[in-house]
Amino acid sequence: MDPLIKSAKEGDHLAFAMLFKENYPFLVKYLMKITMNPDMAEELAQETMAKCIQKIHLFNGQSKFSTWLISIATNAYIDQCRKQKRENKWKGQEEVYRKLKWHFESRNEEWNDALEALGKLPVDVRVPIVLKHYYGYSYDEIGAWMKISSGTVKSRVHNGILAVRRELKLGEETEGRHTRQRTTK
Amino acid sequence: MKKQKVVILDNEQQNKHDLDAIHKVQEGLSKVDQFPVYTPDLQWFESMVRNEKENSRKKLRKELSLFLIIALFILSGIIVSFYQLPVVFIVIQIITPVFIAYYTISSFSRKVKINE
């Protein structure tokens, strides 16, 4: 096990601080991708670190520390979404990606339609797509973090990609031809 | 007249479109990675860790004292009823397990209904 993690487990504040500082940009960027909201990403990163301090005794060192952080962050975000839904504060999927789009525009960066398509997906579909196709985690790992079966993760990723394809109008022509049958002389 | 079916979209084509979509998503997400993220200094992280540990210690102390106060309150109530009002004590002894059994069964059946 990493000596920093060992010291953090023994209660060394400085070791904890160094671990967090090292992983902070990675964590915030991951949260930005799933929340599509830079402010919420920073807020959740702090919540994730707080949970990490409380649960450090559960970290067994079998995976990377960053992977462990991602699993805690994923749960924190899903919990927050559920809470917002319960309190009827859910603003709808339409607004999710607006903040990120605004950040892109303010930095004169070109906005990507695929991000918009991703932002329109429900949270429980967007998160596994990011984890699978951007970070390369396995269906089993994602399923364990989200407390669902790996088969469910697989179908959510598959349906999510289909929805992105539809949104980006990829393969629409051929699909249209497939559904219709044409008669020629 | 010759009837001609248009070539059916095969798996390979489907996969190609899926891969295109995945590639576009990856491209978009990699742009997010290029965003500069402000990382606070080491002292900020250290004080955050210290505060968090202090808060969880306070929370534990608060929860433990609340638990002890409630436990003392319940126990003293039971002891008083045992010596002063034995009938009430017997009624409580009967009602408590019945209530626990009813509550457990009803919450279990609610869970089963939700999962169905």
Side-chain angles (χ1 to χ4, degrees):
Chain A
M1 199 184 280
D2 190 328
L4 264 184
I5 297 169
K6 221 174 168 186
S7 308
K9 274 185 137 184
E10 283 161 8
D12 184 353
H13 294 173
L14 189 65
F16 249 129
M18 282 162 83
L19 269 175
F20 286 147
K21 191 173 172 7
E22 204 177 287
N23 289 284
Y24 187 77
F26 173 77
L27 178 64
V28 173
K29 280 174 183 172
Y30 165 66
L31 283 164
M32 260 162 82
K33 286 180 202 111
I34 59 168
T35 60
M36 308 208 110
N37 182 335
D39 302 331
M40 196 196 269
E42 283 182 12
E43 212 175 279
L44 276 168
Q46 288 198 28
E47 200 185 315
T48 305
M49 289 188 288
K51 280 190 180 169
C52 184
I53 295 166
Q54 289 160 17
K55 293 180 176 180
I56 190 70
H57 61 281
L58 298 173
F59 181 62
N60 52 17
Q62 279 178 344
S63 59
K64 275 186 183 174
F65 185 71
S66 56
T67 303
W68 190 59
L69 273 181
I70 277 198
S71 71
I72 294 177
T74 305
N75 274 314
Y77 178 49
I78 291 171
D79 282 349
Q80 200 190 61
C81 290
R82 277 194 200 129
K83 206 174 156 193
Q84 280 179 337
K85 211 173 179 179
R86 251 202 322 268
E87 290 169 3
N88 293 323
K89 282 183 188 169
W90 196 243
K91 290 174 186 167
Q93 292 300 320
E94 274 294 310
E95 285 193 18
V96 170
Y97 59 87
R98 275 193 192 152
K99 279 216 167 174
L100 192 64
K101 193 175 181 179
W102 182 81
H103 274 258
F104 264 75
E105 282 163 0
S106 64
R107 283 175 42 82
N108 285 329
E109 287 263 8
E110 203 187 320
W111 176 247
N112 183 301
D113 287 338
L115 283 179
E116 191 160 326
L118 205 61
K120 284 180 182 173
L121 294 176
V123 180
D124 49 7
V125 177
R126 183 168 62 242
V127 174
I129 288 184
V130 174
L131 287 171
K132 175 71 194 164
H133 290 303
Y134 193 76
Y135 288 96
Y137 291 113
S138 69
Y139 291 120
D140 290 333
E141 279 173 306
I142 302 167
W145 299 340
M146 294 181 73
K147 295 177 186 81
I148 48 177
S149 73
S150 56
T152 310
V153 179
K154 206 172 178 178
S155 78
R156 281 185 191 176
V157 170
H158 177 72
N159 292 332
I161 292 297
L162 278 182
V164 171
R165 261 179 61 181
R166 267 196 300 275
E167 195 68 31
L168 297 175
K169 298 180 174 68
L170 280 173
E172 218 171 45
E173 281 172 35
T174 35
E175 257 179 41
R177 269 193 280 152
H178 173 56
T179 48
R180 271 176 273 131
Q181 279 189 353
R182 201 171 54 189
T183 310
T184 51
K185 277 185 185 176
Chain B
M1 203 169 118
K2 189 179 151 195
K3 212 174 185 183
Q4 191 186 17
K5 274 188 187 174
V6 173
V7 185
I8 293 170
L9 193 72
D10 58 10
N11 272 343
E12 244 174 63
Q13 259 177 310
Q14 291 269 19
N15 288 341
K16 196 192 162 293
H17 293 315
D18 279 356
L19 286 176
D20 285 346
I22 290 165
H23 183 68
K24 291 216 167 183
V25 166
Q26 286 170 340
E27 220 173 73
L29 291 173
S30 67
K31 282 188 179 178
V32 179
D33 264 341
Q34 286 157 18
F35 258 62
V37 171
Y38 167 72
T39 310
D41 56 15
L42 200 61
Q43 277 76 33
W44 183 87
F45 284 105
E46 216 182 336
S47 69
M48 193 267 291
V49 173
R50 199 168 289 125
N51 287 343
E52 198 49 51
K53 282 196 168 176
E54 187 57 40
N55 284 346
S56 60
R57 218 171 289 141
K58 269 185 196 165
K59 202 177 155 195
L60 183 74
R61 233 177 282 149
K62 201 177 156 188
E63 279 172 3
L64 205 67
S65 46
L66 195 71
F67 171 78
L68 284 174
I69 289 166
I70 292 172
L72 268 175
F73 183 73
I74 293 171
L75 271 178
S76 53
I78 287 173
I79 291 166
V80 166
S81 69
F82 181 73
Y83 285 109
Q84 305 296 320
L85 303 154
V87 181
V88 176
F89 177 77
I90 292 164
V91 170
I92 290 172
Q93 292 299 306
I94 295 166
I95 287 174
T96 312
V98 171
F99 174 75
I100 292 171
Y102 171 76
Y103 185 79
T104 314
I105 292 165
S106 66
S107 62
F108 179 73
S109 59
R110 213 179 304 141
K111 255 186 204 170
V112 170
K113 266 182 200 166
I114 289 167
N115 288 335
E116 272 173 0

